[in-house]
Amino acid sequence: MEHDIQNRIRIAVSPYCVIFRANVGRGLTADGRYFSTGLPVGFSDLFGVRKSDGRAVFIEVKTERGRASEKQKHFLEQMRKFGAIAGIARSPEEAIKLIQEE
């Protein structure tokens, strides 16, 4: 379900942002070692830049009942601290509102 919301948000914000999906995770090599995709823990699901001014955008996508982890909240706080547009969106409408209000 979150993946569907993510895709709808990506389409809806495309007039306002150049936006990318962050593919994160861990895996196991053939010889049994774990590896990470390299993004920090808590990195937002979607990131990019606002077309009007080049300001960085970070969107954490959640379902209606989904909750951000403490690490996700901290990441968003840090991004806002440094001037980025950053927040949680549960729908395309919320994502557009986040981008337009900042």
Side-chain angles (χ1 to χ4, degrees), residues 13-42:
V13 303
S14 64
Y16 312 101
C17 295
V18 175
I19 201 85
F20 303 95
R21 178 174 175 235
N23 290 316
V24 298
R26 288 176 35 134
L28 192 61
T29 63
D31 62 355
R33 292 177 292 130
Y34 282 98
F35 69 93
S36 167
T37 58
L39 293 172
V41 175

Side-chain angles (χ1 to χ4, degrees), residues 36-91:
S36 167
T37 58
L39 293 172
V41 175
F43 195 92
S44 296
D45 297 309
L46 301 175
F47 67 101
V49 294
R50 187 164 61 181
K51 290 179 180 179
S52 63
D53 59 6
R55 195 164 162 202
V57 174
F58 296 89
I59 302 171
E60 182 61 42
V61 178
K62 294 293 175 194
T63 62
E64 191 170 314
R65 293 185 187 183
R67 302 174 108 173
S69 70
E70 289 305 313
K71 291 184 180 187
Q72 289 169 332
K73 290 178 195 175
H74 179 73
F75 180 83
L76 293 171
E77 284 174 21
Q78 292 301 304
M79 294 304 100
R80 282 191 298 269
K81 178 180 171 183
F82 293 109
I85 298 164
I88 297 170
R90 299 172 190 283
S91 69

